[in-house]
Amino acid sequence: MEEKGRENGVAAMKACYRRFDPAAYLQYNYTPPRADFTRKDSIVPWKLACLHRAFTEGDMSGELLVDIGSGPTLYQVMSGCEVFSKVLLTDFLEVNRQELRRWLQDEGQCSLDWTPYLQHVCKLEGRRPSAWTEKAAKLRQVVADILPIDVHCSQPLAPDALPSAGADCLVSCFCLESVSPDLAAFTRALGHIGKLLRPGGHLMLIGALGESYYFAGPGVKIPVVPLNEAQVCTSLKESGYTLIRLEVYTLTQDMRVGVDDVTGVFFVKAKKD
Ligand code: SAM
């Protein structure tokens, strides 16, 4: 009976994603004011700074980085692509995998221009902004595949997708809390993705705090598990990770643009036990 309830909750969440609109999602979250590179207090520059620091502080090793629930976005691997020689992107929805493929194959017709993101990460790396073309080429070179994933399965990727030792590093942004019906499912999903990571490998987790819904297109309202920092820490511990660092960003009033009710964003760097 309990098992049936769990399955129903997960199935209801999956149904919400049928109308996910990648172009609208990008417009809502990845354009100004949330992605204003002239401001330090804008959400996206904050996230990029956290990722830059985490990937460059000298404790990363190995070859394979896997991004869990990439959606239609690429910002989350723009620092990691300089450290790991192979990157796998993953998402549940074909429309999102398609959006990523369009950029990677340089086919044009992308829903968002990633140039200012590439330029900003180049700046963080101490390179001239014009080096963005080299970074774009690097990203296109290291992304080896874009795979289907379901974090609610105990084996989220196809069995032969990864080497048997697992990935050296995982990154996952705004995925687990926005695809899980409740905190228990969020924690279970954290455990499932942990199976993809080698012991001692790093997890970079970015997510929403205090969020109960977001819009993924006009009228497409998706429920979210509202998390606080303590719950994130407990879930990590229960799922076999040791926390290295937790950073929190609190949204300013002008970042509350009516596309969700998020109050903050957390950034976690953790290690698999
Ligand atoms: N990572 C992106 C970002 O930082 O903006 C996208 C996050 S978006 C809020 C949540 C993503 O989770 C969507 O791309 C959606 O397709 C994906 N998703 C939905 N159900 C999923 C599942 N069961 N397993 C893995 N990913 C799922």
Side-chain angles (χ1 to χ4, degrees):
M1 201 62 195
E2 199 183 312
E3 177 71 23
K4 197 85 212 136
R6 272 189 208 170
E7 282 170 18
N8 288 345
V10 163
M13 283 306 303
K14 288 182 183 172
C16 291
Y17 276 89
R18 281 188 208 130
R19 291 172 61 223
F20 187 97
D21 176 345
Y25 177 76
L26 289 167
Q27 177 66 33
Y28 297 162
N29 295 289
Y30 294 101
T31 61
R34 290 190 167 186
D36 183 342
F37 296 102
T38 64
R39 288 174 55 174
K40 273 225 165 86
D41 63 349
S42 175
I43 301 180
V44 168
W46 181 85
K47 288 193 280 185
L48 292 176
C50 289
L51 287 163
H52 167 71
R53 176 181 171 197
F55 277 110
T56 53
E57 54 197 353
D59 55 351
M60 297 280 163
S61 64
E63 289 167 12
L64 178 59
L65 168 66
V66 181
D67 178 31
I68 307 292
S70 306
T73 71
L74 288 155
Y75 71 92
Q76 64 277 18
V77 289
M78 287 182 184
S79 290
C81 75
E82 305 288 346
V83 179
F84 292 93
S85 56
K86 183 173 169 180
V87 174
L88 295 175
L89 303 177
T90 68
D91 201 72
F92 183 67
L93 295 178
E94 171 57 19
V95 280
N96 285 332
R97 299 195 298 267
Q98 189 66 46
E99 178 71 41
L100 296 171
R101 249 178 253 129
R102 271 200 293 274
W103 187 87
L104 288 168
Q105 291 165 5
D106 210 356
E107 286 174 359
Q109 293 174 333
C110 291
S111 302
L112 191 78
D113 178 9
W114 292 102
T115 309
Y117 286 73
L118 293 160
Q119 288 171 331
H120 187 78
V121 179
C122 283
K123 259 169 82 181
L124 292 174
E125 289 169 357
R127 296 156 74 180
R128 60 196 197 292
S130 60
W132 74 269
T133 52
E134 291 152 34
K135 183 176 271 300
K138 179 73 174 253
L139 191 51
R140 288 186 169 112
Q141 179 218 319
V142 300
V143 174
D145 217 339
I146 306 168
L147 303 172
I149 190 163
D150 183 352
V151 297
H152 299 305
C153 293
S154 66
Q155 191 175 30
L157 290 173
D160 55 353
L162 299 188
S164 56
D168 299 296
C169 185
L170 300 181
V171 58
S172 185
C173 305
F174 302 98
C175 178
L176 305 186
E177 71 280 14
S178 45
V179 307
S180 299
D182 51 36
L183 181 60
F186 170 87
T187 308
R188 275 196 301 276
L190 207 44
H192 295 157
I193 66 167
K195 293 185 196 166
L196 305 174
L197 185 61
R198 68 163 166 84
H202 285 91
L203 168 71
M204 318 281 192
L205 190 68
I206 296 185
L209 292 169
E211 186 177 48
S212 69
Y213 71 89
Y214 75 100
F215 282 100
V220 186
K221 192 174 184 179
I222 300 188
V224 180
V225 184
L227 296 172
N228 62 40
E229 291 155 66
Q231 287 166 329
V232 173
C233 293
T234 306
S235 291
L236 284 165
K237 208 170 169 189
E238 278 176 23
S239 311
Y241 301 91
T242 297
L243 183 65
I244 297 173
R245 182 164 65 248
L246 173 82
E247 294 177 64
V248 171
Y249 168 95
T250 304
L251 268 79
T252 54
Q253 202 52 47
D254 65 324
M255 295 295 151
R256 301 177 192 215
V257 290
V259 298
D260 52 43
D261 63 349
V262 64
T263 59
V265 178
F266 67 87
F267 173 86
V268 155
K269 182 173 183 176
K271 220 172 176 178
K272 181 171 164 179
D273 299 337

